[in-house]
Amino acid sequence: ALVSKVGIEHVASVRRAMEENPENVGTKVLLRLFMIAPSTLALFSFSDEKPIENPENSMGLKKQGKRLMQGLVEVLKPYPNLEKSTPVCKKIAESHAQYGVEPEYLDFLGAALET
């Protein structure tokens, strides 16, 4: 699962921060993802910017962080009835598969979201 039940409750509780400052929150989540699973960095077009070494200067990282948070907010809209998010999740999964995102990477993202 992307996020455990406790994690879902945590993510839902920080939804407001995701909505108010998606770039900042998303950048922090992506940096945690890269620390947990460094190989995931290569999936991003900004990987040559070395965002872990210099995150404040990576516009690509900030842009992707914002998009991540906007996507999660969309998935969380029907909370606590997350089964209603299935169509959105399928659309996201299909679009990410073309970039080489494997299902197990979602576990890494879940861990980055929970910390």
Side-chain angles (χ1 to χ4, degrees):
L2 172 58
V3 184
S4 68
K5 182 175 170 84
V6 171
I8 288 171
E9 291 172 5
H10 168 72
V11 170
S13 73
V14 298
R15 179 176 163 187
R16 185 173 184 174
M18 291 177 182
E19 292 173 321
E20 291 176 356
N21 196 349
E23 186 177 285
N24 186 40
V25 175
T27 298
K28 289 178 182 178
V29 169
L30 286 176
L31 289 172
R32 285 194 298 271
L33 171 65
F34 302 147
M35 296 303 286
I36 292 166
S39 63
T40 60
L41 177 60
L43 295 170
F44 293 87
S45 61
F46 58 80
S47 62
D48 60 336
E49 294 179 32
K50 302 186 188 315
I52 293 176
E53 295 172 18
N54 214 355
E56 64 279 356
N57 294 329
S58 175
M59 294 309 295
L61 175 64
K62 291 176 184 180
K63 179 180 175 184
Q64 191 64 39
K66 182 177 181 179
R67 291 181 71 197
L68 172 63
M69 291 302 102
Q70 290 170 333
L72 284 173
V73 166
E74 188 68 27
V75 168
L76 290 170
K77 275 185 181 177
Y79 181 81
N81 301 315
L82 291 178
E83 61 277 351
K84 292 181 180 178
S85 293
T86 301
V88 173
C89 292
K90 284 184 179 180
K91 182 179 174 185
I92 292 170
E94 289 169 0
S95 70
H96 283 70
Q98 67 183 339
Y99 296 109
V101 175
E102 299 291 335
E104 61 268 16
Y105 294 163
L106 296 179
D107 292 331
F108 302 140
L109 178 59
L113 287 164
E114 289 183 5
T115 54

